[in-house]
Amino acid sequence: GIQVEQSPPDLILQEGANSTLRCNFSDSVNNLQWFHQNPWGQLINLFYIPSGTKQNGRLSATTVATERYSLLYISSSQTTDSGVYFCIPYTGGFKTFFGAGTRLFVKA
Amino acid sequence: DVKVTQSSRYLVKRTGEKVFLECVQDMDHENMFWYRQDPGLGLRLIYFSYDVKMKEKGDIPEGYSVSREKKERFSLILESASTNQTSMYLCASSLPGAQILGYTFGSGTRLTVV
């Protein structure tokens, strides 16, 4: 199956800082989804982004499918951004491949 | 707002008990999934269902069974709970072709088996 690699594995930011999270995947994808898992365990959809760039407030994402990577940008980070960020590339069918995630902690 | 609701946020059960975890979605989604999440192992698929009364094994079905009698409800059953089933359990749903619109997850159930 598709291999998913997320980097960095852990990230500590001071509130207000910007960051870039990366998701590399080993095969062609139909779509890609970014999730934020908050400290209480809830997985919240951030973006569906098979290609191109999308923005939602302080967050934006870019997927370059031909080069098999996606980036999640967080600007002016807040403590509520803390948690784990997962990317899920979809290749079709029911099998879904999760990366190990990037664990983010934003200090006040 | 569309929702996937898991019946319990926290659950403590004794070894050997039969445990039911319930998941209900209000989006008329055909596909429903049960995952468990453990530190260092990420999310692993236990079972999924693509229609009422249909079920398929995921990567780690041993010790679990599922039931889908109605479209909106997907139940995970631990036939005889064991301590190695202590975990975070996440339910998700999607339309057919999850690759188009992706998943919606419930808020999770933290199960402790003592």
Side-chain angles (χ1 to χ4, degrees), chain A residues 22 24-25 64-70:
Chain A
R22 187 176 181 102
N24 291 335
F25 43 92
V64 184
T66 53
E67 297 186 22
R68 300 181 181 172
Y69 72 89
S70 184

Side-chain angles (χ1 to χ4, degrees), chain B residues 9 11 37 57 66 76 85 90 100 108 114:
Chain B
R9 288 300 301 274
L11 211 51
Q37 185 179 22
K57 293 179 180 179
V66 289
L76 180 69
Q85 292 178 310
L90 289 156
I100 305 302
V114 298

Side-chain angles (χ1 to χ4, degrees), chain B residues 4-86:
Chain B
V4 176
T5 302
Q6 294 183 230
S7 53
S8 305
R9 288 300 301 274
Y10 300 93
L11 211 51
V12 180
K13 294 292 181 181
R14 295 192 181 276
T15 300
E17 276 194 78
K18 190 169 186 176
V19 181
F20 293 86
L21 302 183
E22 305 288 346
C23 176
V24 177
Q25 50 96 3
D26 64 1
M27 296 167 285
D28 203 33
H29 282 177
E30 280 78 5
N31 300 340
M32 296 188 76
F33 306 82
W34 276 106
Y35 289 88
R36 64 178 283 178
Q37 185 179 22
D38 301 287
L41 296 176
L43 279 84
R44 294 179 290 169
L45 181 64
I46 305 171
Y47 268 97
F48 65 93
S49 168
Y50 53 88
D51 203 350
V52 175
K53 297 192 185 295
M54 305 303 289
K55 60 185 179 184
E56 294 287 342
K57 293 179 180 179
D59 298 319
I60 51 164
E62 296 78 18
Y64 302 94
S65 62
V66 289
S67 172
R68 190 151 181 218
E69 296 297 318
K70 294 184 178 181
K71 189 176 185 180
E72 66 270 19
R73 185 181 297 270
F74 192 35
S75 303
L76 180 69
I77 304 157
L78 286 65
E79 297 291 343
S80 177
S82 64
T83 54
N84 63 13
Q85 292 178 310
T86 292

Side-chain angles (χ1 to χ4, degrees), chain B residues 86-104:
Chain B
T86 292
S87 187
M88 171 70 138
Y89 289 87
L90 289 156
C91 175
S93 72
S94 76
L95 289 168
Q99 62 268 23
I100 305 302
L101 293 177
Y103 287 175
T104 301

Side-chain angles (χ1 to χ4, degrees), chain A:
Chain A
I2 189 171
Q3 303 298 311
V4 183
E5 183 181 316
Q6 290 188 242
S7 60
D10 296 281
L11 185 60
I12 300 174
L13 296 176
Q14 190 66 46
E15 195 169 30
N18 303 327
S19 64
T20 301
L21 282 57
R22 187 176 181 102
C23 172
N24 291 335
F25 43 92
S26 62
D27 206 346
S28 301
V29 300
N30 298 326
N31 205 339
L32 184 137
Q33 194 169 6
W34 280 98
F35 280 97
H36 172 219
Q37 187 172 35
N38 65 25
W40 295 271
Q42 174 83 55
L43 277 156
I44 299 163
N45 173 60
L46 299 176
F47 294 101
Y48 309 108
I49 182 166
S51 63
T53 296
K54 291 186 178 180
Q55 179 147 12
N56 184 1
R58 297 181 296 104
L59 303 181
S60 65
T62 296
T63 295
V64 184
T66 53
E67 297 186 22
R68 300 181 181 172
Y69 72 89
S70 184
L71 303 173
L72 179 69
Y73 307 95
I74 304 174
S75 64
S76 304
S77 59
Q78 300 176 357
T79 56
T80 52
D81 295 332
S82 295
V84 184
Y85 291 81
F86 291 99
C87 73
I88 305 175
Y90 295 109
T91 59
F94 294 105
K95 190 68 174 176
T96 303
F97 301 90
F98 289 82
T102 291
R103 187 175 301 275
L104 173 65
F105 180 67
V106 181
K107 298 188 295 184

